[in-house]
Amino acid sequence: MVVNAAVTIRYYNKDSKTHKFEVKIAGSSKTVEFGSSRTSTVTIQGGDDEAQIKTDCGWVTVKDDAHITIKDGCIEID
């Protein structure tokens, strides 16, 4: 059984705007903010090791310890 699991994502946001994306993890919906023009890390708390993120280009599934790039409101998994 997984207790207090979370998904940690290392991201590079190439866009000059901050993105706030809807995220679904372990049946719960949250909003996660990715700061503009930066490399950083976000942690999404939940009871699972993967999360679904709704971007301008559709839903993307990311696993814990993922590295992603955000460009034009879309996510690419590196």
Side-chain angles (χ1 to χ4, degrees):
M1 180 175 164
V2 178
V3 179
N4 294 327
V7 174
T8 299
I9 302 167
R10 182 83 173 154
Y11 72 90
Y12 172 41
N13 185 355
K14 291 184 174 183
D15 297 339
S16 60
K17 73 177 232 177
T18 296
H19 291 284
K20 292 183 181 179
F21 293 135
E22 177 186 349
V23 175
K24 290 187 180 178
I25 184 169
S28 296
S29 292
K30 304 173 184 254
T31 300
V32 175
E33 185 173 295
F34 296 88
S36 64
S37 303
R38 73 185 69 190
T39 298
S40 190
T41 303
V42 296
T43 300
I44 306 164
Q45 299 295 326
D48 211 342
D49 65 350
E50 70 177 32
Q52 290 77 41
I53 304 173
K54 185 178 182 184
T55 71
D56 296 348
C57 298
W59 289 92
V60 177
T61 299
V62 294
K63 296 188 179 286
D64 185 40
D65 203 28
H67 293 245
I68 66 170
T69 299
I70 302 168
K71 184 171 181 353
D72 299 326
C74 301
I75 287 178
E76 177 182 303
I77 298 173
D78 300 332

